[in-house]
Amino acid sequence: KAGVTQTPRYLIKTRGQQVTLSCSPISGHRSVSWYQQTPGQGLQFLFEYFSETQRNKGNFPGRFSGRQFSNSRSEMNVSTLELGDSALYLCASSDRLAGGSSTDTQYFGPGTRLTVL
Amino acid sequence: AQSVAQPEDQVNVAEGNPLTVKCTYSVSGNPYLFWYVQYPNRGLQFLLKYITGDNLVKGSYGFEAEFNKSQTSFHLKKPSALVSDSALYFCAVRDIGSGAGSYQLTFGKGTKLSVIP
């Protein structure tokens, strides 16, 4: 199976702009999670989507949002970009079941490197 | 709240020697524990996980990890290190006591492993 794909791989934006990142999960996976990775804060959970519904959200401001489509592809959006939003944004998919089995492994994509100038 | 500590920012080991990357965790319930590896400019690659059962878990590329409940540790090990093992290693935990809806992974800060030829 093809792995998790993320587009674009690199992005440069200026402060105040907004950005949309895309993630295509492994075929058959219905759960998509997003993480932000920075040198200072490490890996931090943003949110998780399952069957087009947000199931869990991390401690990020409302400028960070996401959605999931019926084909399980997911997008995340960051509005009014700040310098501190520069990071590697990682998407992970898993074959979580509707009952919410927590044993499922999350498989990560290569990430989108966002630079805010 | 769940947390993970990786006490060493960097571990240096000679090629052919055994390696250990340390991880301790804190959860309110029972933990699911994971190890991931990250190569430069890449996403996270799954190595192994502990869910239940045997305390010694075997994973990809000859890695294994030992779960110790009394010490709340989940150290990553490999009998003979390779130069190609040089990378950033992350330990992660999911607290299943938070319920099936809690799918969030909490990561440690990461340990940079350098294998010296």
Side-chain angles (χ1 to χ4, degrees):
Chain A
K1 286 185 179 178
V4 178
T5 58
Q6 293 186 245
T7 57
R9 290 293 311 278
Y10 300 92
L11 207 49
I12 299 175
K13 293 287 187 179
T14 57
R15 280 181 299 173
Q17 287 187 310
Q18 75 167 16
V19 67
T20 299
L21 312 181
S22 181
C23 171
S24 293
I26 293 171
S27 178
H29 286 191
R30 295 164 62 191
S31 169
V32 173
S33 297
W34 289 89
Y35 294 83
Q36 181 197 63
Q37 184 178 20
T38 60
Q41 298 299 317
L43 281 151
Q44 293 185 288
F45 173 78
L46 280 157
F47 26 66
E48 187 223 351
Y49 287 87
F50 178 78
S51 293
E52 302 179 63
T53 302
Q54 186 180 93
R55 298 304 180 103
N56 200 6
K57 189 177 186 336
N59 188 26
F60 278 82
R63 300 185 296 107
F64 291 81
S65 64
R67 59 177 175 169
Q68 186 179 34
F69 302 95
S70 59
N71 62 357
S72 295
R73 190 177 70 85
S74 176
E75 289 181 347
M76 68 163 282
N77 183 276
V78 188
S79 63
T80 320
L81 284 166
E82 301 177 0
L83 295 179
D85 297 333
S86 294
L88 181 65
Y89 290 88
L90 293 164
C91 166
S93 78
S94 78
D95 57 355
R96 164 186 173 156
L97 302 177
S101 168
S102 292
T103 66
D104 305 326
T105 301
Q106 293 186 27
Y107 295 94
F108 286 79
T112 293
R113 173 76 62 185
L114 172 65
T115 302
V116 181
L117 302 176
Chain B
Q2 54 197 41
S3 65
V4 175
Q6 292 182 242
E8 300 156 319
D9 291 336
Q10 176 143 1
V11 170
N12 297 321
V13 64
E15 186 178 21
N17 282 5
L19 69 87
T20 299
V21 183
K22 297 179 180 178
C23 170
T24 60
Y25 65 90
S26 175
V27 297
S28 56
N30 291 319
Y32 287 165
L33 293 155
F34 302 80
W35 275 102
Y36 287 87
V37 60
Q38 186 176 37
Y39 295 97
N41 300 314
R42 303 284 294 276
L44 272 65
Q45 185 173 332
F46 170 71
L47 281 178
L48 51 79
K49 67 181 178 184
Y50 171 82
I51 303 299
T52 187
D54 195 349
N55 289 342
L56 184 63
V57 179
K58 294 189 182 297
S60 305
Y61 313 116
F63 285 94
E64 58 188 29
E66 187 168 10
F67 172 67
N68 187 317
K69 188 172 183 178
S70 63
Q71 296 185 3
T72 61
S73 67
F74 189 56
H75 300 330
L76 181 70
K77 300 180 180 183
K78 187 174 182 181
S80 178
L82 301 172
V83 172
S84 58
D85 293 330
S86 298
L88 191 56
Y89 289 80
F90 290 94
C91 180
V93 68
R94 181 182 307 144
D95 183 356
I96 63 173
S98 300
S102 178
Y103 221 62
Q104 172 181 344
L105 280 177
T106 298
F107 286 87
K109 291 291 187 184
T111 298
K112 183 179 180 181
L113 173 67
S114 293
V115 180
I116 303 160

